[in-house]
Amino acid sequence: VLKFDISVKCLVLVAQALVQPNTDSSAIAEWISLVLAEVPCSAADVFLRQVLFTSAWNNLPAVVTVLDERRVFDTLDKRHRFVKALPGIPSGWRVADAMGEELAAIYWNTVSLSIWNDTPIDEVRFGIKKLLESKRPRSAFLAVYALPDRISPDQWVHLLQGIAQGDEPDGQLPTVYAIDTILQHVEKAGSISEDKLVQLELPFISALCSGGQSGFGRTRAVHRELSRNPESFVQLLTWLYQRRDRANDLDVASTAEQQRNLANIAFHALQSWGIVPGCQDDGSVDREEFVIWIEHALLRATEVDRRGVAESQLGRLLGRFARHRSWDQWLPDSVLGFLDMPENSDLLKQLDLGVHSARGVTRRSPFDGGAQERALAGEYRNLAAKYATMYPRVSAQLIVIAESYEHDARRHDEEAAIDERWHP
């Protein structure tokens, strides 16, 4: 029967028919001893795993006792095959741990845990702890991801840290959605500090902030940190941009690959950042908080020779911020007043880049021409007229933005005319 079983395609079904939950321990042990006597092959291992899985719901320790009495584990190879086939449920890992440290290590280095709603929390946390000790955070994550409440926030932190630092490179990497879900879960738990949340998010920020990831509508901890701490903003600038004199002010011990990874993290964190420092829940911006943050950021950026790129990034930030507001409330007076000051003219000039960058990709029919751009140019000319008296420098820059859109409109008109001329 065994020869027949390991020769068919659906051998799991045959194994389920031969060994059922009410099968006597001696009979189960007989099947296991026969399989272990076979020449190792994938089919025999599948049969063995199914028999042990079924036994785990009956009395697996009793089966192991019978196997010991019959001296089935007479070779190291048989012991290894047996322990690798043990199921990833509490009864399986208890048997593995009882077989000695060496065999237990083999088990935890290869097992795939099966965790359900009724698995006791203590057992779940023990299994995850053992996988973490075996440097298998990816496997642990996948085992318990669908049941995030089954382990503590601290264990989730250890799992995410292990994945971020590259443990278990051959394991299945969790999806971005799964990582985002767990980050949300950890944040809601309220037991992790804001600084720890930032450190957890930062290694994954490239994936979390690309491809239209929404973040469940929540503000990411990294972006909250940027809007709160100008030092963090300047730190990202040093990761992403070189000094003008090309001197390297990063850690001399970091490799070229590490520096590329840091630059990638900084790029995505800054590109997706849309929270203006000092912004309140009602959309207003506290002038004092905004000014203190900007002045400190620009001062520190100047000290590390990144003032130009700092102004460029801040221009992009203000452009993204304004993009999500109505034309009647384009930018708060606290921001407009700061931009209109003569000493901030360089930052004001970057607003043009920020506005165009925030617009993103456009879509139009082949013969539409520049209708979209003319509409935007009209809106910016209206804003320029509105702010002409109170914020004349901002008004002048808005006219520059309007003129750039009018130039784009003429270009699209010409392209549409050419397309229509050659249209069959």
Side-chain angles (χ1 to χ4, degrees), residues 312-365:
S312 175
Q313 288 294 336
L314 292 173
R316 290 176 182 269
L317 170 65
L318 293 175
R320 285 191 292 270
F321 181 63
R323 182 71 179 170
H324 297 288
R325 296 167 66 90
S326 67
W327 289 108
D328 291 337
Q329 298 177 331
W330 184 64
L331 280 178
D333 289 337
S334 53
V335 176
L336 293 170
F338 182 82
L339 292 174
D340 205 64
M341 298 170 66
E343 58 268 30
N344 297 323
S345 58
D346 289 340
L347 175 58
L348 178 60
K349 291 176 183 177
Q350 296 298 326
L351 193 60
D352 188 353
L353 174 64
V355 165
H356 282 83
S357 175
R359 187 184 179 202
V361 178
T362 62
R363 292 183 297 176
R364 69 193 74 219
S365 298

Side-chain angles (χ1 to χ4, degrees), residues 165-206:
Q165 67 189 21
D167 291 346
E168 197 183 5
D170 296 332
Q172 182 180 343
L173 186 65
T175 64
V176 176
Y177 176 80
I179 291 175
D180 211 356
T181 300
I182 296 308
L183 285 170
Q184 182 193 36
H185 171 77
V186 170
E187 182 175 343
K188 282 186 174 180
S191 58
I192 306 299
S193 69
E194 186 75 2
D195 289 341
K196 180 62 71 68
L197 282 173
V198 172
Q199 295 305 313
L200 284 178
E201 272 190 7
L202 208 53
F204 304 106
I205 203 70
S206 302

Side-chain angles (χ1 to χ4, degrees), residues 194-195 198 201-202 205 209 219-237 239 265-278 289-290 293-294 296-297 313-314 317 320:
E194 186 75 2
D195 289 341
V198 172
E201 272 190 7
L202 208 53
I205 203 70
C209 293
T219 303
R220 302 208 180 275
V222 171
H223 296 152
R224 292 196 297 268
E225 170 66 14
L226 286 173
S227 300
R228 182 176 58 249
N229 186 358
E231 293 287 346
S232 297
F233 169 68
V234 177
Q235 178 70 70
L236 293 188
L237 294 180
W239 290 358
I265 288 172
F267 172 80
H268 284 93
L270 292 170
Q271 284 291 106
S272 56
W273 177 36
I275 312 172
V276 170
E289 188 176 344
F290 175 77
W293 192 101
I294 293 286
H296 187 104
Q313 288 294 336
L314 292 173
L317 170 65
R320 285 191 292 270

Side-chain angles (χ1 to χ4, degrees), residues 252-322:
V252 294
S254 60
T255 65
E257 182 179 0
Q258 289 171 334
Q259 292 183 15
R260 284 193 297 270
N261 289 337
L262 290 176
N264 188 47
I265 288 172
F267 172 80
H268 284 93
L270 292 170
Q271 284 291 106
S272 56
W273 177 36
I275 312 172
V276 170
C279 186
Q280 309 299 306
D281 292 338
D282 61 359
S284 63
V285 175
D286 183 275
R287 177 178 174 78
E288 182 179 3
E289 188 176 344
F290 175 77
V291 170
I292 291 175
W293 192 101
I294 293 286
E295 290 180 345
H296 187 104
L298 292 178
L299 176 62
R300 286 289 296 119
T302 302
E303 292 173 355
V304 296
D305 198 21
R306 267 75 167 198
R307 185 181 180 96
V309 293
E311 291 171 338
S312 175
Q313 288 294 336
L314 292 173
R316 290 176 182 269
L317 170 65
L318 293 175
R320 285 191 292 270
F321 181 63

